[in-house]
């Protein structure tokens, strides 16, 4: 069985993440989406909310699991899950340089785990969680942000924005 791991903070899930996940489920017999939890990082959504958003958004994918991993290297997590592959996205040259270096470090730690790189289509390549959160707020933000995130995530962003106004 070919098992792959795609990891990120997913704070929040974007259409770019969803594209990667859907392609991963076609490449692998089982796809694990691993939500990284870093105690030193401040998140907009709790890990439970991020898990819920991912599960809602990916409910149509039958060979997918959503899990949480924290305080360990991704390659160690992949090994514990008996994964053969780590799936990573390349949006721009800086991503490539970072991911290329990480691929070699991962190979030093677990030579039997391969890294697979995918490049999303141009129309979603620039989407990031940080960018999406930065677009929330100004007048008419809803019509912009809804283009970049799945509907369940957009609904959570609407609710989050309401709590920010108070």
């Amino acid at each position: 069985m070919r098992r792959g791991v795609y990891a990120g903070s997913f704070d929040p899930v974007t259409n770019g993440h969803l594209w990667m996940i859907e392609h991963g489920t076609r490449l692998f017999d089982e796809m694990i989406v691993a939500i990284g939890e870093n105690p030193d990082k401040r998140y907009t959504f709790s890990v439970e909310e991020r898990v819920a958003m991912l599960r809602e958004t990916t409910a149509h994918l039958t060979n997918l699991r959503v899990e949480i991993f924290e305080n360990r290297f991704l390659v160690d997590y992949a090994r514990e899950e008996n994964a053969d592959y780590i799936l990573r996205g390349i949006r721009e040259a800086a991503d490539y340089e970072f991911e290329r270096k990480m691929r070699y470090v991962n190979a030093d730690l677990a030579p039997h785990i391969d890294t697979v790189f995918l490049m999303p289509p141009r129309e979603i390549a620039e989407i990031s969680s940080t960018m999406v959160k930065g677009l929330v707020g100004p007048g008419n933000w809803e019509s912009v942000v809804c283009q970049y995130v799945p509907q369940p995530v957009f609904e959570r962003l609407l609710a989050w924005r309401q709590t920010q106004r108070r």
Side-chain angles (χ1 to χ4, degrees), residues 17-26 31 33 54-65:
H17 293 132
L18 185 57
W19 185 91
M20 290 290 297
I21 292 165
E22 287 174 341
H23 278 72
T25 61
R26 287 189 237 146
M31 183 75 208
V33 175
L54 269 163
R55 287 188 176 149
E56 265 183 87
T57 302
T58 60
H60 63 289
L61 302 171
T62 58
N63 62 332
L64 178 82
R65 296 194 271 143

Side-chain angles (χ1 to χ4, degrees), residues 11-12 14 128-135:
D11 187 39
T14 68
S128 70
S129 297
T130 302
M131 182 201 78
V132 166
K133 290 186 289 191
L135 293 171

Side-chain angles (χ1 to χ4, degrees), residues 37 51 135 150 156:
E37 183 70 3
V51 166
L135 293 171
R156 280 195 168 75

Side-chain angles (χ1 to χ4, degrees), residues 11-13 44-45 53 132-133 136 141 145-146 149-164:
D11 187 39
V13 181
T44 301
F45 295 99
M53 281 189 273
V132 166
K133 290 186 289 191
V136 173
W141 70 267
V145 171
C146 72
V149 296
Q151 186 62 33
V153 175
F154 180 67
E155 291 167 12
R156 280 195 168 75
L157 285 167
L158 286 169
W160 173 71
R161 178 63 178 145
Q162 288 302 315
T163 64
Q164 300 302 301

